[in-house]
Structures are given as structure tokens and as C-alpha cells.
Amino acid sequence: MTNKLVYFIGNWKMFGDLTSIKVIKNVEKFYKGFVKYNKKNKIVFCVPDTLINFLTKNLKSKRISIGAQDCHHYSDYGAFTGSVNASMLKNSGAKYVILGHSEKRFEGDTNKLIKKKIESALKKKLTVVFCIGETSKEKKYKKTFSVLKKQIADSIDKKFDFKKIIIAYEPVWSIGTGNVPKSHDLRNIFKFIKKYFKSNYKVKSSPPVLYGGSVNERNISMFPKISEINGFLIGGSSQSAKKFIAIIKNYYK
Ligand code: PGA
């Protein structure tokens, strides 16, 4: 198990209303005791924009943060019906934003557009959780490494503030399917991503790299031994306090 900070970032997707605060309150209650003997972790819930301000105002623990799941690439106000920019997210209390999620890529986000979104989020001092990952077809044709390389190269600029960037490796074929990659493959992929950052971006150490895709309270036990993994982006299982807490507990078992 790693001695470094471990992230547990929930991605609520299109889930949650005002009553969903009970999920976060329950996690907060558990975490208050837990953090006394294990401080090397960080919890974030990336929620729909409609809940950011409400949840931020009602959170007591500074060790739990609220984030968003996307932002518009334009950082000022503008004629973009239905859109929310990074500055508005920041103003409502968000500290993090997920960008490049495959579900947004399916809706049309290109590497180039994601780069603009990252730029605008960093400008507003949000921490970016930048998602990358190959589809099952790309995996089948052994294109995983070239896909990841292109996603990073096309969206991450050398001038970016790397202290504000977290990478989330989320194989598309794993999201919501119950299938997770083999430990051996994960180790190779995480090594590749970290090495790529060190050699191409002149950073002393790579940004943290998280794993995402069907993480649950059972399969979490396979991850502690993969020391290259700096945490998790958790979708479905983050919508339940019971599951989310069990993931954290079982990771440290
Ligand atoms: P999942 O989603 O945990 O439900 O597979 C992960 C994600 O989409 O970030």
C-alpha cells in the first residue's frame, strides 16, 4: 500500500436532489472518526451543478470537498444557453471539476475542446480531474497506449499548473459494466502514464493518477497492492454512503 495521499472522488453523474445531502452527511460522520488515525486521504464529491452551493454550505469537514462534472470552455459570461463556466462553479463553492469524462466525450467533447475547458478551469483555480481511457474496440486492437498518449498530448499543455491536475484513467469498457482491468495491465498502464508525464512535461513527479470504472466495495481489495494508483474516481458506488464508506474501509483493511 502506498504512503501517499489517496483520493476517493465520487462522480454522482445525473443523480441527486436536496435529500441526497444525507449521503454526504453519513460519509462525513464516518470520516470524522476515520481521519483521526488515517489522514492520508482526500474525499471529493463531484455533483450536479444544482447541488454544489447547497452541499458546500452544509459541509462541516474541510477534508471533504465538492466538485462539478463539467464546465464550459469560455470563462466569462456569454450567450451560451444552458452552460455554466468555471468561474460560476467556483463562485458556488466547487473546488474540483471533472473534465474529459467519456460520457461527455460521447456527447461531442473533443481533445481540443477539453483542452480549452481545462485552461479555463485552471484559470479559475479549480483542480481538474482529467479523464482518459480507451474503448473496448481500442483495447482489442491494442491501441490503449497510443489512445492515452494522444488524449494527454492533445489536451494537456506544458504551461498548465500541474499542481492543480489529477488524471483519472477510466477505461470506457469498464465504466458501469462491473468489469475491471487485470492488476498486471493496470500496473503497466499507470507506469506508462506517469512516465509519459515525467518525460514530456518536465515535471519532477507525475500528477496523481486515479483509477475509475466499476470500483465497488468488493473489488477495491485488489487495488492497495498496486502502488502506482493514487486513488479512485467512483461513479455508481458513490451514490450510496454505505457503499462509499465500505470502499474506503476495505481499501485500508
Ligand atoms: P462507475 O463510473 O464507477 O459507475 O463505473 C465511474 C465514472 O464514470 O467515473
Side-chain angles (χ1 to χ4, degrees):
M1 194 190 299
T2 169
N3 230 352
K4 290 184 216 132
L5 189 73
V6 181
Y7 291 87
F8 296 91
I9 303 186
N11 171 15
W12 272 10
K13 311 193 181 200
M14 195 164 72
F15 160 85
D17 57 23
L18 297 185
T19 66
S20 311
I21 190 170
K22 62 179 183 289
V23 176
I24 300 199
K25 285 277 168 200
N26 284 336
V27 172
E28 202 173 26
K29 214 187 300 167
F30 149 77
Y31 198 55
K32 216 172 135 193
F34 182 81
V35 80
K36 278 187 201 143
Y37 59 90
N38 197 327
K39 290 194 166 42
K40 291 199 164 151
N41 35 62
K42 170 84 193 155
I43 294 180
V44 183
F45 281 95
C46 293
V47 300
D49 295 351
T50 47
L51 297 177
I52 293 171
N53 193 248
F54 173 67
L55 295 177
T56 309
K57 287 228 166 97
N58 284 289
L59 259 180
K60 290 202 181 72
S61 167
K62 286 212 171 63
R63 302 184 64 91
I64 300 181
S65 299
I66 298 297
Q69 303 169 15
D70 188 34
C71 70
H72 194 269
H73 70 269
Y74 197 65
S75 52
D76 293 325
Y77 290 152
F80 298 104
T81 303
S83 296
V84 171
N85 69 24
S87 170
M88 293 151 85
L89 295 175
K90 178 97 185 181
N91 184 258
S92 63
K95 295 224 161 57
Y96 290 72
V97 61
I98 296 173
L99 293 173
H101 192 282
S102 60
E103 284 151 17
K104 295 304 297 175
R105 291 179 189 263
F106 283 136
E107 286 179 355
D109 276 20
T110 58
N111 289 342
K112 219 170 132 191
L113 179 65
I114 295 163
K115 182 179 188 177
K116 285 191 190 165
K117 290 184 174 188
I118 297 175
E119 250 164 9
S120 120
L122 293 176
K123 200 166 143 191
K124 297 297 164 191
K125 306 266 183 291
L126 289 171
T127 296
V128 171
V129 181
F130 171 54
C131 302
I132 54 175
E134 82 285 4
T135 63
S136 59
K137 201 168 163 195
E138 288 160 346
K139 178 177 162 59
K140 190 175 156 201
Y141 291 107
K142 305 206 180 318
K143 287 191 176 149
T144 299
F145 291 105
S146 61
V147 167
L148 298 180
K149 203 163 131 179
K150 188 163 170 53
Q151 286 174 335
I152 298 170
D154 288 359
S155 297
I156 301 290
D157 196 281
K158 290 196 168 66
K159 292 196 280 296
F160 284 174
D161 179 2
F162 287 91
K163 288 194 285 301
K164 288 274 188 193
I165 295 177
I166 296 171
I167 311 298
Y169 169 61
E170 295 206 309
V172 181
W173 51 271
S174 172
I175 296 174
T177 61
N179 302 323
V180 294
K182 293 189 183 75
S183 301
H184 172 77
D185 292 340
L186 278 176
R187 193 166 271 129
N188 285 340
I189 289 167
F190 274 68
K191 276 190 181 144
F192 170 81
I193 296 171
K194 292 190 166 185
K195 205 170 148 207
Y196 185 79
F197 269 98
K198 277 200 220 163
S199 48
N200 288 275
Y201 291 94
K202 293 187 183 125
V203 284
K204 265 203 211 112
S205 57
S206 150
V209 188
L210 317 184
Y211 170 74
S214 294
V215 173
N216 62 36
E217 66 279 25
R218 293 174 302 280
N219 62 27
I220 190 68
S221 54
M222 74 176 262
F223 294 103
K225 57 182 180 298
I226 312 172
S227 60
E228 290 83 5
I229 298 182
N230 303 110
F232 306 93
L233 185 55
I234 305 158
S237 299
S238 71
Q239 297 169 0
S240 140
K242 203 172 152 204
K243 289 183 183 170
F244 194 77
I245 292 168
I247 288 175
I248 300 175
K249 278 187 180 164
N250 292 346
Y251 180 81
Y252 291 102
K253 239 180 197 166

Coordinates of all heavy atoms in Angstrom, one line a residue, residues 41-99:
N41 N -5.7 10.8 3.1 CA -6.7 10.6 2.1 C -7.5 11.9 1.9 O -7.5 12.7 2.8 CB -7.6 9.4 2.3 CG -7.8 9.3 3.8 OD1 -8.4 10.1 4.4 ND2 -7.3 8.2 4.4
K42 N -8.2 12.0 0.8 CA -9.0 13.1 0.5 C -10.3 12.7 -0.2 O -10.2 11.8 -1.1 CB -8.2 14.0 -0.5 CG -8.9 15.2 -1.1 CD -9.0 16.4 -0.2 CE -10.0 17.4 -0.6 NZ -10.5 18.2 0.4
I43 N -11.4 13.2 0.3 CA -12.7 12.8 -0.3 C -13.3 14.0 -1.0 O -13.3 15.2 -0.5 CB -13.7 12.4 0.8 CG1 -13.2 11.1 1.5 CG2 -15.1 12.2 0.3 CD1 -14.0 10.6 2.6
V44 N -13.8 13.8 -2.2 CA -14.4 14.8 -3.0 C -15.7 14.2 -3.6 O -15.7 13.0 -4.0 CB -13.5 15.2 -4.2 CG1 -14.2 16.4 -5.0 CG2 -12.1 15.7 -3.7
F45 N -16.8 15.0 -3.6 CA -18.0 14.5 -4.3 C -18.2 15.5 -5.5 O -18.5 16.7 -5.3 CB -19.2 14.5 -3.4 CG -19.2 13.3 -2.5 CD1 -18.7 13.4 -1.2 CD2 -19.8 12.1 -2.9 CE1 -18.7 12.2 -0.4 CE2 -19.8 11.0 -2.1 CZ -19.3 11.1 -0.8
C46 N -18.2 15.0 -6.7 CA -18.5 15.8 -7.9 C -20.0 15.6 -8.2 O -20.4 14.4 -8.5 CB -17.6 15.4 -9.0 SG -15.9 15.9 -8.7
V47 N -20.7 16.6 -8.0 CA -22.2 16.5 -8.0 C -22.8 17.4 -9.1 O -22.1 18.2 -9.8 CB -22.7 17.0 -6.6 CG1 -22.2 16.1 -5.5 CG2 -22.4 18.4 -6.4
P48 N -24.1 17.2 -9.4 CA -24.7 18.1 -10.4 C -24.6 19.6 -9.9 O -24.6 19.8 -8.7 CB -26.2 17.6 -10.4 CG -26.1 16.2 -10.0 CD -25.0 16.2 -9.0
D49 N -24.5 20.5 -10.9 CA -24.3 21.9 -10.6 C -25.4 22.4 -9.6 O -25.2 23.3 -8.8 CB -24.4 22.8 -11.8 CG -23.2 22.5 -12.7 OD1 -22.3 21.7 -12.3 OD2 -23.2 22.9 -13.9
T50 N -26.6 21.8 -9.7 CA -27.8 22.3 -8.9 C -27.5 22.1 -7.4 O -28.3 22.6 -6.6 CB -29.0 21.5 -9.3 OG1 -28.7 20.1 -9.4 CG2 -29.6 21.9 -10.7
L51 N -26.6 21.2 -7.1 CA -26.4 20.9 -5.6 C -25.1 21.5 -5.0 O -24.9 21.4 -3.8 CB -26.3 19.3 -5.5 CG -27.6 18.6 -5.8 CD1 -27.4 17.1 -5.7 CD2 -28.8 19.1 -4.9
I52 N -24.3 22.0 -5.9 CA -22.9 22.5 -5.4 C -23.0 23.4 -4.2 O -22.4 23.2 -3.2 CB -22.1 23.1 -6.6 CG1 -21.8 22.0 -7.6 CG2 -20.8 23.8 -6.0 CD1 -21.1 22.6 -8.9
N53 N -23.8 24.5 -4.4 CA -23.8 25.5 -3.4 C -24.5 25.0 -2.1 O -24.0 25.2 -1.0 CB -24.6 26.7 -3.9 CG -24.4 27.9 -2.9 OD1 -25.3 28.4 -2.3 ND2 -23.2 28.4 -2.9
F54 N -25.6 24.3 -2.2 CA -26.3 23.7 -1.1 C -25.4 22.8 -0.3 O -25.3 22.9 1.0 CB -27.5 23.0 -1.6 CG -28.3 22.2 -0.6 CD1 -28.9 22.8 0.4 CD2 -28.3 20.8 -0.6 CE1 -29.6 22.1 1.4 CE2 -29.0 20.1 0.3 CZ -29.7 20.7 1.3
L55 N -24.7 21.9 -1.0 CA -23.8 20.9 -0.3 C -22.6 21.6 0.4 O -22.3 21.3 1.5 CB -23.4 19.8 -1.2 CG -24.5 18.9 -1.8 CD1 -23.9 17.9 -2.7 CD2 -25.2 18.2 -0.6
T56 N -22.0 22.5 -0.3 CA -20.9 23.2 0.2 C -21.2 24.0 1.5 O -20.5 23.9 2.5 CB -20.4 24.3 -0.8 OG1 -20.2 23.6 -2.1 CG2 -19.0 24.9 -0.5
K57 N -22.4 24.6 1.5 CA -22.8 25.4 2.7 C -23.1 24.5 3.8 O -23.0 24.9 5.0 CB -24.1 26.2 2.3 CG -23.8 27.4 1.4 CD -24.4 28.6 1.9 CE -23.9 29.9 1.3 NZ -24.8 30.3 0.2
N58 N -23.5 23.3 3.6 CA -23.9 22.4 4.7 C -22.8 21.4 5.1 O -23.0 20.6 6.0 CB -25.1 21.6 4.3 CG -26.3 22.5 4.4 OD1 -26.8 22.8 5.5 ND2 -26.8 22.9 3.2
L59 N -21.6 21.5 4.5 CA -20.5 20.6 4.9 C -19.7 21.2 6.1 O -19.4 22.4 6.1 CB -19.5 20.5 3.7 CG -19.5 19.3 2.8 CD1 -18.5 19.5 1.7 CD2 -19.3 18.1 3.6
K60 N -19.4 20.3 7.0 CA -18.6 20.8 8.1 C -17.2 20.5 8.0 O -16.3 21.3 8.3 CB -19.1 20.2 9.4 CG -20.5 20.8 9.8 CD -20.8 20.6 11.3 CE -22.2 21.1 11.6 NZ -23.3 20.2 11.0
S61 N -16.9 19.3 7.4 CA -15.5 18.9 7.3 C -14.7 19.6 6.2 O -15.2 19.6 5.0 CB -15.5 17.4 7.1 OG -14.2 17.0 6.7
K62 N -13.6 20.1 6.5 CA -12.8 20.7 5.4 C -12.1 19.7 4.6 O -11.6 20.0 3.5 CB -11.7 21.6 6.1 CG -12.3 22.9 6.7 CD -11.3 24.0 6.6 CE -11.8 25.4 6.9 NZ -12.3 25.4 8.3
R63 N -12.1 18.5 5.1 CA -11.4 17.4 4.3 C -12.3 16.8 3.3 O -11.8 15.9 2.5 CB -10.8 16.3 5.3 CG -9.9 16.9 6.3 CD -9.3 15.8 7.2 NE -8.5 15.0 6.3 CZ -7.2 15.1 6.1 NH1 -6.6 16.1 6.7 NH2 -6.6 14.3 5.4
I64 N -13.5 17.2 3.2 CA -14.4 16.7 2.1 C -14.7 17.9 1.2 O -15.1 19.0 1.8 CB -15.7 16.1 2.7 CG1 -15.4 14.9 3.6 CG2 -16.7 15.7 1.5 CD1 -16.6 14.2 4.2
S65 N -14.5 17.8 0.0 CA -14.7 18.9 -1.0 C -15.8 18.6 -2.0 O -16.1 17.4 -2.2 CB -13.5 19.3 -1.7 OG -12.5 19.7 -0.8
I66 N -16.4 19.6 -2.5 CA -17.4 19.4 -3.6 C -16.8 19.9 -4.9 O -16.1 20.9 -5.0 CB -18.7 20.3 -3.2 CG1 -19.2 19.8 -1.8 CG2 -19.7 20.2 -4.3 CD1 -19.8 18.4 -1.8
G67 N -17.2 19.1 -5.9 CA -16.7 19.5 -7.3 C -17.8 19.4 -8.3 O -18.9 18.9 -7.9
A68 N -17.6 19.8 -9.5 CA -18.5 19.7 -10.6 C -18.1 18.6 -11.6 O -17.0 18.0 -11.4 CB -18.6 21.1 -11.3
Q69 N -18.9 18.4 -12.6 CA -18.6 17.3 -13.6 C -18.3 17.8 -15.0 O -18.0 17.0 -15.8 CB -19.8 16.4 -13.6 CG -20.2 15.8 -12.2 CD -21.6 15.1 -12.3 OE1 -22.1 14.8 -13.3 NE2 -22.1 14.9 -11.1
D70 N -18.3 19.1 -15.2 CA -18.0 19.7 -16.5 C -18.0 21.2 -16.3 O -18.6 21.7 -15.4 CB -19.1 19.2 -17.5 CG -18.7 19.6 -18.9 OD1 -17.5 19.6 -19.3 OD2 -19.6 19.9 -19.7
C71 N -17.5 21.9 -17.3 CA -17.7 23.3 -17.4 C -17.6 23.8 -18.8 O -17.1 23.0 -19.7 CB -16.7 24.1 -16.5 SG -15.0 24.1 -17.2
H72 N -18.1 25.0 -19.1 CA -18.0 25.5 -20.5 C -16.5 25.9 -20.7 O -15.9 26.3 -19.7 CB -19.0 26.6 -20.7 CG -19.2 27.0 -22.1 ND1 -18.4 28.0 -22.7 CD2 -20.0 26.6 -23.0 CE1 -18.8 28.1 -24.0 NE2 -19.8 27.3 -24.2
H73 N -16.1 26.0 -21.9 CA -14.7 26.4 -22.2 C -14.5 27.9 -22.0 O -13.4 28.3 -21.9 CB -14.2 25.9 -23.6 CG -14.9 26.6 -24.7 ND1 -16.0 26.2 -25.3 CD2 -14.5 27.8 -25.3 CE1 -16.4 27.0 -26.3 NE2 -15.5 28.0 -26.3
Y74 N -15.6 28.7 -22.1 CA -15.5 30.1 -22.1 C -15.5 30.6 -20.6 O -16.4 30.2 -19.9 CB -16.6 30.7 -22.9 CG -16.5 32.1 -23.3 CD1 -15.5 32.5 -24.2 CD2 -17.4 33.1 -22.8 CE1 -15.4 33.8 -24.6 CE2 -17.2 34.4 -23.2 CZ -16.2 34.8 -24.1 OH -16.1 36.1 -24.4
S75 N -14.5 31.4 -20.2 CA -14.5 31.6 -18.8 C -15.3 32.9 -18.3 O -15.5 33.1 -17.2 CB -13.1 31.7 -18.2 OG -12.3 32.5 -19.0
D76 N -15.7 33.7 -19.3 CA -16.6 34.9 -19.0 C -18.0 34.5 -19.2 O -18.3 33.5 -19.6 CB -16.2 36.1 -19.8 CG -14.8 36.6 -19.5 OD1 -14.4 36.5 -18.4 OD2 -14.1 37.0 -20.5
Y77 N -18.9 35.5 -18.9 CA -20.3 35.3 -19.2 C -20.5 35.4 -20.7 O -19.7 36.1 -21.4 CB -21.2 36.4 -18.6 CG -21.3 36.3 -17.1 CD1 -21.5 37.5 -16.3 CD2 -21.2 35.1 -16.4 CE1 -21.6 37.4 -14.9 CE2 -21.3 35.1 -15.0 CZ -21.5 36.2 -14.3 OH -21.6 36.2 -12.9
G78 N -21.5 34.8 -21.3 CA -21.6 34.8 -22.7 C -23.0 34.2 -23.1 O -23.7 33.6 -22.3
A79 N -23.3 34.3 -24.4 CA -24.5 33.8 -24.9 C -24.4 32.3 -25.2 O -24.2 31.9 -26.3 CB -24.9 34.5 -26.2
F80 N -24.4 31.5 -24.1 CA -24.3 30.0 -24.3 C -25.4 29.4 -23.4 O -25.2 29.0 -22.3 CB -22.9 29.6 -23.7 CG -21.7 30.2 -24.5 CD1 -21.0 31.2 -24.0 CD2 -21.4 29.7 -25.8 CE1 -19.9 31.7 -24.7 CE2 -20.4 30.2 -26.5 CZ -19.6 31.2 -26.0
T81 N -26.5 29.3 -24.1 CA -27.7 28.8 -23.4 C -27.5 27.4 -22.7 O -27.0 26.5 -23.4 CB -28.9 28.7 -24.3 OG1 -29.1 30.0 -24.9 CG2 -30.2 28.3 -23.6
G82 N -27.8 27.3 -21.5 CA -27.7 26.0 -20.8 C -26.3 25.8 -20.2 O -26.1 24.7 -19.6
S83 N -25.4 26.7 -20.4 CA -24.0 26.4 -20.0 C -23.6 27.1 -18.7 O -24.2 28.1 -18.3 CB -23.0 26.8 -21.1 OG -23.2 26.0 -22.2
V84 N -22.6 26.5 -18.0 CA -22.1 27.1 -16.8 C -20.6 27.1 -16.9 O -20.0 26.1 -17.4 CB -22.5 26.2 -15.6 CG1 -21.8 26.6 -14.3 CG2 -24.0 26.2 -15.4
N85 N -20.0 28.2 -16.6 CA -18.5 28.3 -16.7 C -17.8 28.0 -15.4 O -18.4 27.9 -14.3 CB -18.1 29.6 -17.4 CG -18.3 30.8 -16.5 OD1 -18.3 30.7 -15.3 ND2 -18.4 32.0 -17.1
A86 N -16.4 27.9 -15.5 CA -15.6 27.6 -14.3 C -15.8 28.6 -13.2 O -15.8 28.3 -12.0 CB -14.2 27.4 -14.7
S87 N -15.9 29.9 -13.6 CA -16.0 30.9 -12.6 C -17.3 30.8 -11.8 O -17.3 31.0 -10.6 CB -15.9 32.3 -13.4 OG -16.2 33.3 -12.6
M88 N -18.4 30.4 -12.5 CA -19.6 30.3 -11.8 C -19.6 29.1 -10.9 O -20.2 29.1 -9.8 CB -20.8 30.1 -12.9 CG -21.0 31.3 -13.7 SD -21.6 31.0 -15.3 CE -23.4 30.8 -15.0
L89 N -18.9 28.0 -11.3 CA -18.7 26.8 -10.4 C -18.0 27.2 -9.2 O -18.3 26.8 -8.1 CB -18.0 25.7 -11.2 CG -18.7 25.1 -12.4 CD1 -17.8 24.1 -13.1 CD2 -20.1 24.5 -12.0
K90 N -16.9 27.9 -9.4 CA -16.0 28.3 -8.3 C -16.8 29.2 -7.3 O -16.8 29.0 -6.1 CB -14.9 29.1 -8.9 CG -13.9 29.7 -7.8 CD -12.7 28.8 -7.7 CE -11.9 29.3 -6.6 NZ -10.7 28.5 -6.4
N91 N -17.6 30.1 -7.9 CA -18.4 31.0 -7.1 C -19.5 30.3 -6.2 O -19.9 30.7 -5.1 CB -19.1 32.0 -8.0 CG -19.9 33.1 -7.2 OD1 -21.1 33.0 -7.2 ND2 -19.2 34.0 -6.6
S92 N -19.9 29.1 -6.8 CA -20.9 28.4 -6.0 C -20.3 27.4 -5.0 O -21.0 26.8 -4.2 CB -21.9 27.7 -6.9 OG -21.2 26.7 -7.7
G93 N -19.0 27.4 -5.0 CA -18.3 26.6 -3.9 C -17.5 25.4 -4.4 O -16.9 24.7 -3.6
A94 N -17.5 25.1 -5.7 CA -16.8 24.0 -6.2 C -15.3 24.2 -6.1 O -14.8 25.3 -6.3 CB -17.2 23.7 -7.7
K95 N -14.6 23.1 -5.8 CA -13.1 23.2 -5.8 C -12.5 22.4 -6.8 O -11.3 22.5 -7.2 CB -12.6 22.8 -4.4 CG -13.0 23.7 -3.2 CD -11.9 23.9 -2.3 CE -12.0 25.1 -1.4 NZ -13.2 25.1 -0.6
Y96 N -13.3 21.4 -7.3 CA -12.8 20.5 -8.3 C -13.7 20.5 -9.5 O -14.9 20.8 -9.4 CB -12.8 19.0 -7.8 CG -11.7 18.8 -6.7 CD1 -11.8 19.4 -5.4 CD2 -10.6 18.0 -7.0 CE1 -10.8 19.2 -4.5 CE2 -9.6 17.8 -6.0 CZ -9.7 18.4 -4.8 OH -8.8 18.2 -3.8
V97 N -13.2 20.0 -10.7 CA -14.1 19.8 -11.8 C -13.6 18.6 -12.6 O -12.4 18.5 -12.9 CB -14.3 21.0 -12.7 CG1 -13.0 21.6 -13.3 CG2 -15.4 20.8 -13.8
I98 N -14.5 17.7 -12.9 CA -14.2 16.6 -13.8 C -14.2 17.1 -15.3 O -15.2 17.7 -15.6 CB -15.2 15.4 -13.6 CG1 -15.1 14.8 -12.2 CG2 -14.9 14.3 -14.7 CD1 -16.2 13.8 -11.9
L99 N -13.2 16.8 -16.1 CA -13.2 17.2 -17.5 C -12.7 16.0 -18.3 O -11.9 15.2 -17.9 CB -12.4 18.4 -17.7 CG -12.9 19.7 -17.1 CD1 -11.9 20.8 -17.2 CD2 -14.2 20.2 -17.7

